[in-house]
Amino acid sequence: MEVDCRLQAPVASLSLMERHTIEICRAFCAGMKVLILDGIARDYTQKETEYMKRLVIRLKEKGISILWIDTRPEIMLDAADRLAVLKGTAGSRIVPGGI
């Protein structure tokens, strides 16, 4: 899997997105089947968010199941198979693909 990351750089010099990318790649190499990302893009720039979205789409194409948890569902709308909107217990709903 191709990624955009400075692999020879000290970890302390990497951006948050680069550190997340390395963690995801390590899990992928270890044979992960499911990836859970909870609030991962909260502190990303727009460019970093788009990069992570493309990485997640590539993982999805390789058969990895992705659970993306975020307060901004619009980030993954065009890539999601399903969207679950949770608001308390009465306002929860699941929207099928083709959003």
Side-chain angles (χ1 to χ4, degrees):
M1 180 167 54
E2 292 183 29
V3 295
D4 183 20
C5 199
R6 300 174 293 143
L7 297 177
Q8 301 303 321
V11 173
S13 71
L14 298 176
S15 71
L16 180 63
M17 189 268 312
E18 288 175 313
R19 284 182 272 159
H20 286 160
T21 300
I22 289 170
E23 290 175 33
I24 291 168
C25 289
R26 287 177 65 198
F28 178 76
C29 289
M32 76 172 163
K33 302 291 183 205
V34 177
L35 177 62
I36 300 172
L37 302 170
D38 187 358
I40 192 168
R42 179 179 39 236
D43 297 322
Y44 286 0
T45 65
Q46 181 65 32
K47 183 179 177 181
E48 290 172 329
T49 301
E50 287 300 316
Y51 172 83
M52 188 56 65
K53 179 179 170 179
R54 287 191 306 274
L55 176 60
V56 165
I57 290 170
R58 288 198 316 265
L59 289 169
K60 177 181 156 188
E61 290 169 351
K62 293 183 179 295
I64 307 298
S65 297
I66 313 288
L67 177 59
W68 182 288
I69 303 166
D70 204 294
T71 58
R72 302 169 298 155
E74 65 275 6
I75 293 173
M76 292 299 288
L77 279 179
D78 55 342
D81 292 331
R82 280 176 227 90
L83 173 68
V85 178
L86 307 175
K87 183 177 179 181
T89 54
S92 301
R93 63 189 172 108
I94 296 178
V95 180
I99 300 171

